[in-house]
Amino acid sequence: MDLDQTLSIRTRFTVILIAVFSCLACQQTTVPAELHPDAKTGKSTQPHKKQGAKPGEPITKLVSTSSVCAAGFDEAASHIEKQLFPLRIPSCLKAIGTACPLLSDAIRRAASNAAVQKSEVMSQTLYEAVKRRLSPSCNAVKATDSAEKLGESCYGKRHDLSSRLIADMHAGIFAFYLVVEEELKTKKLYDKNSRRILLNLLLTSAMEGEKKKRKKRR
Amino acid sequence: MHGLRLPSFHVLSTRSHHTGHPHKGAQTSQSLRTRDTYNEASSEGIAHSQSLSQPNTGPVTGLQDLVHQTVNIAASAVVVGATFGVTARATPDLMGGPTLETQNNNDVVLVGMNKGSGFEARSLRNRGLRVHHVKDANNWQEAEWNLHDLVRSESGTVFNLSTTEGISAFVGTLRLPSAQSEKIKIIIERTSEDGKDELSQLAAIWAKAARGGQIPSRLVLSGHSSGDTLWGDFNGELLRGDFADLAEAMPKAAAQIEDLHLSGCYTGGQFDLEAWREVFPNLKTIWAYTGSAPGSYSGATTHLARWDQATRGQVNTLDRNVARGTRKGENISTWSFERGYENGQPPAPYTEVRREFDDSQSWAYTDYFSGALAVENPQSGDLRYHYNITQRLLQHTDLPESERNEITAHRDSTIRLLYYTKTIAGKFQDYHQEAINAGFSSLGLTSPDFSTLSRQEALAYISDFEQRFQSMRTPPAAAQSLLPLLTGGLRDLNSAIIPSTWI
């Protein structure tokens, strides 16, 4: 079963579960921590509120969309980490494309499309989707250039990321990472699992880049 | 004793050392052997080099320790008894547990974020080493618990670290002074989910050094990495900052670490290794990877063996070429006391380092010095980057001697600036309180409390003081005494006035 199917089925299941628990909240004021979809992420999102439901309204309206994202990222991160490293890039992109409806359409569409493309085209697709959202201080680059060509003025001093890691990956993928990371933070969706998906994307892309450079040298 | 009861899910179980298993005091020795073998000689990650079925040889170093241990363990036993109906009695023969007695400095602590780290630990043990394998609680916990963050204390009590009470109770078993325990508790609390278990196991090992004992001087950190982070599949994440905070809270332990092996991708940049040297001030060697690192089953054990051979005993040097010809050997970078940083590339030319120093001075140092920006974490950020570049410049052989003193003074001021909010301002206030009160009063000014002011506010007070001082023909003696302390000390952060012990 591929990730799309897994996510959609599991996310639907989670939505139903949350709805059931929200309904049960008529008798209990709080959802047990271990049942809350955010419990695994350690992040608190919007609490389930009884007063949010009006008679006749679809019960799914009670579900916090960010909770759905947290659940989606959780499922996706687990799926990704079952795979060997070279296979993680498409899975990470599929996850970004499908796990969270709150991410912008352009990001999700580009991620889903890129997930089934080969390396160079993938970088191009991702870069096209985000290049207008990059800081004006970013250098104009080709999507397949080394990400370091974007320039430190573009991505700042990333003390958390190795400069060699940045140098090893395509500019298109790194630019995409920067924009998605920013969007997740702005929308308060950046949690343990969404971070983990992005870290896996970064690391796998850099490792692939390193491998290609080594082949070229030979 | 009843006052020590904790909510039921904070302490999960006690374990008899004769059985090595929670709840199961009657377990057979046969099953014990099986379990030990399967789980790389032990199951909990605190002290793995000693068979659990061996007689307890735990250290009871004195009557005071014994009494302290008895109280702690008895308290735990009451908690668990209340929760599970377990009637374990805390007696000295249950307390010592697997020991961390270290006979030489070849012992290794291996923090493994991935399951494959068990293979790495076994490979080192097969070389005759005592290895303390810190690993994910998922590897050893009871299936029905299904909790990410558990730790087992020396006495065998299992604590749930996802609750504040569980963390407090666990930290209480480390037998450290209360102020230090409080710091460790806060550090574990803020560590990310599913990383608390590994960090707590490390704290348990390091606690021995904090109590005056000896711990292994060789540390291996194994996991996925993209630079300053270490994570494992289906496991949590530890940042370099987490290790740095723990090292800062347990300085006697940090001071004993001499050899560091970073078995993770992209860990070996020069900036990163400089940052690790700040964490462990007495490091002699570091082994890391500028690019991808070999996996547990695809070369890591070969590299660990070469590293083990190269860092046995007391060494001040480490040659990256010891792994030449091995898979990913070309990606190794090393730092050693004698040879400095090596990654197989020629060292950066002086002009490049100098330019980076000058640039970062304008965009990093100046704003922090003026107080326009405040340091959030002394271990990371732009000012820390500038400090590391300054160190790199000082180590460069092409730095003109005529500039060395000036750059050295700048480095000393920068490290004090990094710690200005965290320690310097408070210690300055404590140490010079009388002089501050007398000096400001003598000029008719209100005395500030520098420990509560931002650097920007403090500089404004110092400026007012200086102006009032200069407007007087004969300033009072108290003001004359205070002025150099304020300007040379708190403002300019001269090492002659702000001692390094305040950092």
Side-chain angles (χ1 to χ4, degrees), chain A residues 25-211:
Chain A
C26 300
Q27 286 151 0
Q28 60 181 78
T29 51
T30 54
V31 176
E34 66 273 24
L35 299 178
H36 194 283
D38 291 334
K40 283 184 183 174
T41 68
K43 303 279 176 191
S44 70
T45 53
Q46 296 166 24
H48 295 234
K49 292 177 184 171
K50 279 193 290 181
Q51 66 268 29
K54 290 177 188 168
E57 228 176 8
I59 199 150
T60 48
K61 280 212 167 181
L62 289 171
V63 179
S64 151
T65 324
S66 58
S67 297
V68 173
C69 288
F73 287 137
D74 185 14
E75 295 283 353
S78 300
H79 178 82
I80 289 163
E81 294 189 345
K82 280 178 192 154
Q83 301 184 340
L84 293 174
F85 257 93
L87 304 174
R88 289 187 184 187
I89 299 178
S91 297
C92 291
L93 292 172
K94 275 184 191 174
I96 294 167
T98 56
C100 174
L102 283 187
L103 279 175
S104 62
D105 286 346
I107 294 282
R108 287 188 290 133
R109 201 178 316 118
S112 295
N113 290 340
V116 292
Q117 293 171 336
K118 287 194 174 165
S119 173
E120 278 74 16
V121 189
M122 174 193 286
S123 299
Q124 190 66 44
T125 302
L126 297 175
Y127 189 54
E128 286 300 323
V130 299
K131 68 180 180 189
R132 281 178 200 83
R133 291 174 62 180
L134 289 172
S135 153
S137 55
C138 295
N139 297 328
V141 294
K142 284 188 204 157
T144 51
D145 282 346
S146 162
E148 68 182 345
K149 286 197 177 170
L150 286 163
E152 264 188 7
S153 56
C154 172
Y155 48 82
K157 287 272 174 199
R158 291 295 302 245
H159 301 301
D160 56 330
L161 297 176
S162 149
S163 53
R164 168 80 183 270
L165 173 121
I166 296 170
D168 276 351
M169 75 174 66
H170 282 171
I173 295 186
F174 191 56
F176 185 75
Y177 160 82
L178 291 171
V179 170
V180 175
E181 183 190 51
E182 179 66 28
E183 187 170 320
L184 286 167
K185 285 180 177 171
T186 307
K187 294 181 175 172
K188 302 196 187 318
L189 298 168
Y190 193 68
D191 63 7
K192 174 190 163 189
N193 292 305
S194 56
R195 173 176 163 78
R196 185 61 69 84
I197 292 164
L198 290 183
L199 281 176
N200 272 300
L201 177 66
L202 278 188
L203 181 55
T204 318
S205 305
M207 287 167 73
E208 285 295 296
E210 182 196 74
K211 202 162 132 189

Side-chain angles (χ1 to χ4, degrees), chain B residues 411-453:
Chain B
R411 177 199 62 190
D412 293 346
S413 158
T414 307
I415 190 72
R416 284 158 178 76
L417 190 54
L418 275 166
Y419 284 90
Y420 180 87
T421 308
K422 191 163 187 179
T423 56
I424 302 288
K427 291 193 172 168
F428 183 88
Q429 179 68 34
D430 285 350
Y431 194 79
H432 295 298
Q433 184 142 15
E434 282 180 22
I436 293 166
N437 290 341
F440 273 87
S441 305
S442 72
L443 296 185
L445 296 169
T446 310
S447 294
D449 178 356
F450 289 112
S451 67
T452 62
L453 298 179

